[in-house]
Amino acid sequence: MVINMASGATEAELQHVIDRVKECGFQPHVTRGSERTIIAAVGSGGSRAALEALKAAPGVEDVVPIAHPFKLVSRQIKRERTRVFVGDVCIGGEEAVVIAGPCSVESREQLFDTARAVKAAGASMLRGGAYKPRTSPYDFQGLGTEALHLLREVREETGLPVVTEVMSTDDIDLIGKYADMFQVGARNMQNFALLRQLAKVEKPVLLKRGPCASVKEWLLAAEYLLAGGNPNVVLCERGIKTFETETRNTLDLAAVALARELSHLPVIADPSHGTGRRDLIGPASRAALAIGADGLIIEVHPCPERALSDGAQSLNLEEFAKMMIGLTAPLRPLATASPVGA
């Protein structure tokens, strides 16, 4: 249930309602907006009838049910869009954010060359995998701790905040010492043990959509993070599995718009994984921004043909710089009907 406080409600009235929500067997989550305060009563096993009776409490304007199973993620709870700060970078603000870097950290030279180039081209954050989930156990799995050290060094030089993937609850504390943002990969979107632990940390989380997950399931995964206490969540559409064979995945741009309609959380797109083809990354990036994405995450490598992972979907340094310029170019003009008799 959502308890809408009146615009003139006092702090004492607010605290009274919070206490009553707890007495009813629910967990109160308070959102203070520019005009009014909203209390979300979430949980199971409590008395809904007792919550509805709060309509009579001083300072309460209305009590309404939450329409979606994802409660705290829903725009019913928070109409204003959430802005997630990663260092000095704001995701979900007026400007789109571009996160760029290699799929996996392979060497000092590779990482530093890439970081310097993507920053010069206009990227705001650096991505780089230290631990890589691979379909085959024989593929390159990442440099691990060595990569984390390199990521910290390159952040100190360039000033770019770093996002890297966490795959296990055992790695959260270690990665948290080096990274500015945790990435939950597509394979781990419904790793609920991992989500529960990440909900307890203060760092922001980039949550990728699973390849076979619905938008509802994606948002419910985000709900684990918010319900556990971490409001700094960014959603990432990275493509889903369909019958199409010409692309690695199908970049679901409608899901970007839908997620922004249903949720107040920022949403970014991953055209690298979403297409799997370097020649489609530029057009897909422009399309994602046009439909409302708050940013992009792009794989970049100094020499994609030598990449130890995802070379086919990585841009080289020159291609990335060209793509960044193209993102600011105007869209194609619309054809309009000629005046009658012209």
Side-chain angles (χ1 to χ4, degrees):
M1 305 287 282
V2 176
I3 302 163
N4 295 318
M5 302 298 294
S7 58
T10 66
E11 286 296 322
E13 291 169 339
L14 174 63
Q15 188 58 52
H16 171 72
V17 173
I18 291 173
D19 293 339
R20 284 291 296 130
V21 168
K22 292 179 180 178
E23 292 173 11
C24 293
F26 295 90
Q27 182 65 35
H29 292 263
V30 180
T31 300
R32 296 179 182 270
S34 57
E35 298 181 359
R36 66 181 69 249
T37 297
I38 295 174
I39 303 172
V42 299
S44 59
S47 171
R48 290 176 60 89
L51 283 180
E52 292 173 352
L54 283 173
K55 290 182 179 180
V60 173
E61 182 177 279
D62 198 9
V63 178
V64 296
I66 302 176
H68 302 291
F70 40 89
K71 312 299 183 183
L72 302 178
V73 168
S74 171
R75 293 194 70 186
Q76 276 189 275
I77 298 297
K78 184 180 179 184
R79 295 300 303 176
E80 298 174 354
R81 301 212 62 82
T82 291
R83 297 187 176 194
V84 174
F85 286 86
V86 187
D88 294 331
V89 177
C90 174
I91 304 177
E94 295 299 323
E95 299 178 340
V97 171
V98 176
I99 307 168
C103 173
S104 58
V105 178
E106 300 168 2
S107 68
R108 173 184 292 274
E109 180 181 10
Q110 171 243 19
L111 180 63
F112 276 72
D113 287 351
T114 304
R116 292 163 184 156
V118 298
K119 180 180 181 180
S124 301
M125 289 179 59
L126 178 70
R127 60 154 296 156
Y131 302 90
K132 294 301 301 177
R134 306 302 298 276
T135 302
S136 170
Y138 307 111
D139 289 338
F140 178 64
Q141 306 288 314
L143 296 179
T145 305
E146 179 184 351
L148 292 176
H149 286 125
L150 292 173
L151 287 168
R152 179 165 63 182
E153 289 182 34
V154 79
R155 178 185 60 199
E156 291 173 353
E157 178 188 303
T158 64
L160 294 174
V162 168
V163 55
T164 193
E165 185 167 357
V166 57
M167 298 192 298
S168 167
T169 56
D170 297 335
D171 297 328
I172 292 176
D173 290 340
L174 175 63
I175 294 176
K177 295 177 182 178
Y178 298 90
D180 301 288
M181 185 182 206
F182 291 103
Q183 174 183 305
V184 175
R187 294 174 177 85
N188 276 315
M189 189 204 80
Q190 290 183 312
N191 183 339
F192 301 121
L194 179 60
L195 296 177
R196 288 191 180 99
Q197 291 304 310
L198 288 174
K200 301 176 183 179
V201 304
E202 295 183 358
K203 291 183 183 291
V205 176
L206 178 66
L207 179 65
K208 287 198 167 187
R209 181 186 180 189
C212 298
S214 67
V215 171
K216 176 181 175 181
E217 290 167 336
W218 185 23
L219 295 179
L220 282 171
E223 187 79 8
Y224 271 85
L225 295 166
L226 271 70
N230 190 344
N232 298 309
V233 177
V234 176
L235 302 169
C236 180
E237 160 58 35
R238 48 79 69 198
I240 56 175
K241 293 294 185 183
T242 68
F243 53 80
E244 181 56 66
T245 58
E246 292 300 311
T247 55
R248 179 176 179 179
N249 296 290
T250 296
L251 187 63
D252 189 358
L253 294 181
V256 173
L258 179 58
R260 283 177 52 84
E261 181 70 22
L262 296 175
S263 173
H264 56 84
L265 296 176
V267 185
I268 71 170
D270 179 353
S272 298
H273 284 90
T275 65
R277 291 178 47 158
R278 60 199 301 187
D279 58 326
L280 297 181
I281 292 175
S285 296
R286 284 170 54 80
L289 295 184
I291 208 167
D294 295 293
L296 305 165
I297 182 167
I298 309 289
E299 292 190 347
V300 182
H301 194 285
C303 185
E305 67 182 69
R306 296 182 181 274
L308 298 180
S309 59
D310 287 353
Q313 64 186 42
S314 297
L315 299 178
N316 64 34
L317 308 184
E318 294 76 17
E319 289 169 336
F320 177 74
K322 183 178 180 180
M323 185 209 75
M324 290 292 288
I325 295 173
L327 292 180
T328 61
L331 297 174
R332 65 191 301 180
L334 291 176
T336 57
S338 300
V340 177

